[in-house]
Amino acid sequence: MKARVFVTLKNGVLDPQGKAIGHALQGLGFDGVGEVRQGKVIDLELAERDAAKARACLTEMCEKLLANTIIEKYEIELKG
Amino acid sequence: MKSAVVVFPASNCDRDAAVALERMTGNKPHMVWHADSAVPDVDLIVLPGGFAYGDYLRCGAMASQSRVMRDVKAKAEKGVAVLGICNGFQVLTETHMLPGALIRNAGLKFVCRPVGLEVTETQSAFTRKYDHGQRVVFPVAHGEGNYFADEETLDRLEGEGRVVFRYAPGDNPNGSIRNIAGILNEKRNVLGLMPHPERVVDPLLGGTDGRALFESLIEALP
């Protein structure tokens, strides 16, 4: 089973990189760009075939390593 | 005083720390590799600056999972003093031995310069030889030293006298919330700070304001 984990900064945590990207987009003439926030995508291959078990395992991975839950939140996407 | 310096792949201030410890204590510290399962019996463990494991995933994230950190954590719980400098501070937050997190500098740039600090807490083994409110200058050299924690944690840190160093007004190099530069754990035996006291123990290198931190430890520890 393949999975994709999205790790993004929690609301209220300063994202200077996102701000810089926003400024660069404005500089390129893309008007109307509001707040920009940058995150990470982590693709994983898992031996597990049961979706519920895979999700539980990924949640544990996120809590233990993939995300720092003090500043980040995560979303898990399973792909068949 | 017996000490040890943990060496991770891509630590780069481990020898600075070792030189400072030897000069200040008269004893050579043990250099402990990250894959070692145990730190020798010492009074102080130093987690040095650098880019452990290339800062992969997040600064300190990989190092927090290393074998040696299990023993560092266990020893800290037994009361052994732990000093995390720069990357070492990042490792301590990732290991949850200290609260909060260190995020990208607000100005996005890597900042490498001397900064003014205030010693805001002297009731600690790390700072007892400083005067309360004393201004000192330590160098900083980091890209991710912007301390962040939620309001409740910050209030608690301040209420319990655990904010030990703050950037002097107008000299915050990274956007750290409430100008926080260094904090203690609840038991007060673990200190993490972004500035480098080990780089200011010899006048040849531009200052000696870091000496009192090591003198404090020598006085406080057996």
Side-chain angles (χ1 to χ4, degrees):
Chain A
M1 181 173 286
K2 288 185 176 178
R4 178 165 276 187
V5 174
F6 299 88
V7 181
T8 50
L9 286 171
K10 284 182 176 173
N11 294 335
V13 177
L14 184 72
D15 181 9
Q17 292 181 100
K19 277 208 172 108
I21 294 165
H23 287 149
L25 289 172
Q26 283 164 12
L28 286 169
F30 291 101
D31 295 328
V33 176
E35 199 185 4
V36 178
R37 309 275 287 169
Q38 185 189 304
K40 291 183 192 117
V41 170
I42 302 164
D43 286 323
L44 303 95
E45 284 181 11
L46 303 172
E48 182 60 62
R49 290 181 177 189
D50 180 90
K53 281 184 189 162
R55 190 170 286 279
C57 184
L58 286 159
T59 302
E60 197 183 341
M61 289 181 200
C62 287
E63 292 287 333
K64 283 191 174 164
L65 180 66
L66 300 182
N68 178 345
T69 55
I70 295 164
I71 49 169
E72 294 169 326
K73 53 188 170 27
Y74 58 86
E75 274 174 57
I76 294 163
E77 192 179 276
L78 294 176
K79 305 167 162 187
Chain B
M1 187 181 81
K2 287 177 292 176
S3 60
V5 178
V6 176
V7 185
F8 299 104
S11 289
N12 66 9
C13 300
D14 44 325
R15 279 185 283 176
D16 299 38
V19 169
L21 284 166
E22 186 174 357
R23 177 156 306 187
M24 296 302 298
T25 68
N27 298 320
K28 263 191 198 303
H30 296 273
M31 303 305 280
V32 182
W33 185 234
H34 72 115
D36 290 351
S37 53
V39 178
D41 278 325
V42 291
D43 310 303
L44 170 72
I45 300 170
V46 177
L47 305 181
F51 300 86
Y53 300 85
D55 280 350
Y56 289 177
L57 191 66
R58 295 178 305 275
C59 307
M62 297 298 167
S64 73
Q65 306 297 321
S66 64
R67 198 194 292 184
V68 74
M69 282 310 296
R70 278 180 240 160
D71 192 50
V72 171
K73 202 169 181 178
K75 286 202 161 60
E77 276 159 20
K78 285 184 196 153
V80 173
V82 178
L83 170 63
I85 303 165
C86 196
N87 189 219
F89 185 12
Q90 295 164 340
V91 174
L92 288 171
T93 58
E94 281 286 341
T95 318
H96 303 299
M97 291 169 69
L98 289 174
L102 292 146
I103 61 173
R104 186 63 64 101
N105 290 350
L108 279 169
K109 288 192 176 134
F110 189 96
V111 181
C112 183
R113 63 172 174 87
V115 295
L117 300 168
E118 280 177 1
V119 183
T120 46
E121 181 58 48
T122 52
Q123 302 291 313
S124 91
F126 301 90
T127 52
R128 59 202 286 171
K129 301 284 268 186
Y130 289 100
D131 296 322
H132 187 84
Q134 188 178 336
R135 288 286 185 99
V136 295
V137 176
F138 292 178
V140 296
H142 60 249
E144 297 180 62
N146 183 348
Y147 185 73
F148 176 85
D150 60 42
E151 291 292 310
E152 193 188 327
T153 305
L154 294 167
D155 290 344
R156 191 162 163 224
L157 284 171
E158 288 182 342
E160 294 174 355
R162 289 164 55 192
V163 177
V164 172
F165 292 103
R166 281 187 213 263
Y167 300 110
D171 211 6
N172 183 337
N174 52 35
S176 278
I177 203 157
R178 302 193 194 182
N179 295 322
I180 288 173
I183 55 166
L184 290 170
N185 68 338
E186 204 171 348
K187 283 173 71 176
R188 306 178 85 79
N189 65 321
V190 177
L191 169 70
L193 78 171
M194 289 311 297
H196 287 271
E198 84 284 17
R199 292 191 190 174
V200 273
V201 297
D202 185 328
L204 261 181
L205 298 178
T208 54
D209 285 353
R211 292 179 72 94
L213 187 141
F214 295 96
E215 286 161 359
S216 299
L217 288 163
I218 291 163
E219 188 181 273
L221 303 177

